[in-house]
Coordinates of all heavy atoms in Angstrom, one line a residue:
P1 N -14.7 17.6 24.3 CA -15.0 18.6 23.2 C -13.7 19.1 22.5 O -13.7 19.3 21.3 CB -15.7 19.8 24.0 CG -16.3 19.1 25.1 CD -15.4 18.0 25.5
A2 N -12.6 19.3 23.3 CA -11.4 19.7 22.7 C -10.8 18.7 21.7 O -10.3 19.1 20.6 CB -10.3 20.0 23.8
L3 N -10.9 17.4 22.0 CA -10.4 16.4 21.1 C -11.3 16.4 19.9 O -10.8 16.3 18.7 CB -10.4 15.0 21.8 CG -9.9 13.8 21.0 CD1 -9.2 12.8 21.9 CD2 -11.1 13.1 20.2
R4 N -12.6 16.5 20.0 CA -13.5 16.5 18.9 C -13.3 17.7 18.0 O -13.4 17.6 16.8 CB -14.9 16.4 19.4 CG -15.2 15.0 20.1 CD -16.6 15.0 20.7 NE -17.6 14.9 19.6 CZ -18.1 13.8 19.1 NH1 -17.7 12.6 19.6 NH2 -19.0 13.8 18.2
L5 N -13.0 18.8 18.6 CA -12.7 20.0 17.8 C -11.5 19.8 17.0 O -11.4 20.3 15.8 CB -12.6 21.3 18.7 CG -14.0 21.8 19.2 CD1 -13.7 22.9 20.3 CD2 -14.8 22.4 18.1
R6 N -10.5 19.2 17.6 CA -9.3 18.9 16.8 C -9.5 18.0 15.6 O -9.0 18.2 14.5 CB -8.2 18.4 17.7 CG -6.9 18.0 17.0 CD -5.7 17.8 17.9 NE -4.5 17.6 17.1 CZ -3.3 17.5 17.7 NH1 -3.2 17.4 19.0 NH2 -2.2 17.3 16.9
V7 N -10.4 17.0 15.9 CA -10.7 16.0 14.8 C -11.4 16.8 13.7 O -11.1 16.6 12.5 CB -11.7 14.9 15.4 CG1 -12.3 14.2 14.2 CG2 -10.9 14.0 16.2
L8 N -12.4 17.7 14.0 CA -13.1 18.4 13.0 C -12.1 19.3 12.2 O -12.2 19.4 11.0 CB -14.2 19.3 13.6 CG -15.4 18.5 14.1 CD1 -16.3 19.4 14.9 CD2 -16.2 18.0 12.8
A9 N -11.2 19.9 12.9 CA -10.2 20.8 12.3 C -9.3 20.0 11.3 O -9.1 20.5 10.2 CB -9.3 21.5 13.3
E10 N -8.9 18.8 11.7 CA -8.1 18.0 10.8 C -8.9 17.5 9.6 O -8.3 17.5 8.5 CB -7.5 16.8 11.6 CG -6.5 17.2 12.6 CD -5.9 16.0 13.4 OE1 -6.5 14.9 13.2 OE2 -4.9 16.2 14.1
V11 N -10.1 17.2 9.8 CA -11.0 16.8 8.7 C -11.1 17.9 7.7 O -11.0 17.8 6.5 CB -12.3 16.2 9.1 CG1 -13.3 16.0 8.0 CG2 -12.1 14.9 9.9
V12 N -11.4 19.1 8.2 CA -11.6 20.3 7.3 C -10.4 20.6 6.6 O -10.4 20.9 5.3 CB -12.1 21.5 8.2 CG1 -12.1 22.8 7.3 CG2 -13.5 21.3 8.7
L13 N -9.2 20.6 7.2 CA -8.0 20.9 6.5 C -7.7 19.9 5.4 O -7.1 20.2 4.4 CB -6.8 20.9 7.6 CG -6.7 22.1 8.5 CD1 -5.7 21.9 9.6 CD2 -6.4 23.4 7.7
R14 N -8.1 18.6 5.6 CA -7.8 17.6 4.6 C -8.9 17.5 3.6 O -8.8 16.6 2.7 CB -7.7 16.2 5.3 CG -6.5 16.2 6.3 CD -6.5 14.9 7.0 NE -5.4 14.8 8.0 CZ -4.6 13.8 8.2 NH1 -4.8 12.7 7.5 NH2 -3.6 13.8 9.0
L15 N -10.0 18.3 3.7 CA -11.1 18.1 2.9 C -10.8 18.2 1.4 O -11.3 17.4 0.6 CB -12.2 19.1 3.3 CG -13.6 18.8 2.7 CD1 -14.1 17.4 3.1 CD2 -14.6 19.9 3.3
P16 N -10.1 19.3 0.9 CA -9.8 19.3 -0.5 C -9.1 18.1 -1.1 O -9.5 17.5 -2.1 CB -8.9 20.6 -0.6 CG -9.3 21.4 0.5 CD -9.5 20.4 1.6
R17 N -8.1 17.6 -0.4 CA -7.4 16.4 -0.8 C -8.4 15.2 -0.7 O -8.4 14.4 -1.7 CB -6.2 16.2 0.1 CG -5.5 14.9 -0.2 CD -4.3 14.7 0.7 NE -3.7 13.4 0.5 CZ -2.6 12.9 1.2 NH1 -2.0 13.7 2.0 NH2 -2.1 11.7 0.9
T18 N -9.2 15.1 0.3 CA -10.1 14.0 0.5 C -11.1 13.9 -0.6 O -11.4 12.9 -1.2 CB -10.8 14.0 1.8 OG1 -9.8 14.0 2.9 CG2 -11.7 12.9 2.1
L19 N -11.6 15.1 -1.1 CA -12.6 15.1 -2.1 C -11.9 14.7 -3.5 O -12.6 14.1 -4.3 CB -13.2 16.5 -2.2 CG -14.1 16.9 -1.0 CD1 -14.7 18.3 -1.2 CD2 -15.2 15.8 -0.8
R20 N -10.7 15.1 -3.7 CA -10.0 14.6 -4.9 C -9.8 13.1 -4.8 O -10.0 12.4 -5.9 CB -8.6 15.3 -5.0 CG -8.7 16.8 -5.3 CD -7.3 17.3 -5.8 NE -6.3 17.2 -4.7 CZ -6.1 18.1 -3.8 NH1 -6.8 19.2 -3.8 NH2 -5.1 17.9 -2.9
E21 N -9.5 12.6 -3.7 CA -9.4 11.1 -3.5 C -10.8 10.4 -3.7 O -10.8 9.4 -4.3 CB -8.9 10.8 -2.1 CG -7.4 11.2 -1.9 CD -7.0 11.1 -0.5 OE1 -7.8 11.0 0.4 OE2 -5.7 11.2 -0.2
R22 N -11.8 11.1 -3.3 CA -13.2 10.5 -3.5 C -13.4 10.4 -5.0 O -14.0 9.4 -5.5 CB -14.2 11.4 -2.9 CG -15.6 11.0 -3.1 CD -16.6 11.9 -2.4 NE -18.0 11.5 -2.7 CZ -18.7 10.6 -2.0 NH1 -18.1 10.1 -0.9 NH2 -19.9 10.2 -2.3
G23 N -13.0 11.4 -5.8 CA -13.2 11.3 -7.2 C -12.4 10.2 -7.8 O -12.9 9.5 -8.7
R24 N -11.2 9.9 -7.3 CA -10.4 8.8 -7.9 C -11.1 7.5 -7.5 O -11.1 6.5 -8.3 CB -9.0 8.9 -7.3 CG -8.1 10.0 -8.0 CD -6.7 9.8 -7.7 NE -6.4 10.1 -6.3 CZ -6.0 11.3 -5.9 NH1 -6.0 12.3 -6.8 NH2 -5.7 11.5 -4.6
V25 N -11.6 7.4 -6.3 CA -12.3 6.2 -5.9 C -13.5 5.9 -6.8 O -13.8 4.8 -7.2 CB -12.8 6.3 -4.4 CG1 -13.7 5.1 -4.0 CG2 -11.5 6.3 -3.5
G26 N -14.2 7.0 -7.1 CA -15.4 6.9 -8.0 C -15.0 6.3 -9.4 O -15.7 5.5 -10.0
R27 N -13.9 6.7 -9.8 CA -13.4 6.3 -11.2 C -13.0 4.9 -11.3 O -13.1 4.3 -12.3 CB -12.3 7.2 -11.7 CG -12.7 8.6 -12.0 CD -11.7 9.4 -12.8 NE -10.6 9.8 -11.9 CZ -10.5 10.9 -11.1 NH1 -11.6 11.7 -11.1 NH2 -9.5 11.2 -10.3
I28 N -12.6 4.3 -10.2 CA -12.2 2.9 -10.2 C -13.4 2.0 -9.7 O -13.2 0.7 -9.7 CB -11.0 2.6 -9.3 CG1 -11.2 3.0 -7.9 CG2 -9.8 3.3 -9.9 CD1 -11.7 1.9 -7.0
S29 N -14.5 2.5 -9.4 CA -15.6 1.8 -8.8 C -16.4 1.1 -9.9 O -16.8 1.7 -11.0 CB -16.5 2.6 -8.0 OG -15.8 3.2 -6.9

């Protein structure tokens, strides 16, 4: 559980940047 919580925390912290990247991926698709 501790490792998984760290994974979730890292994903949440990176979420704004990841969503911007998702937009860029959509534009080249």
Side-chain angles (χ1 to χ4, degrees):
L3 181 145
R4 295 175 70 92
L5 284 171
R6 179 166 185 177
V7 167
L8 285 169
E10 290 183 348
V11 170
V12 169
L13 286 172
R14 295 174 183 225
L15 194 56
R17 175 180 174 179
T18 301
L19 293 179
R20 291 194 297 271
E21 292 168 346
R22 179 181 178 86
R24 287 194 287 270
V25 171
R27 288 191 288 274
I28 58 91
S29 297

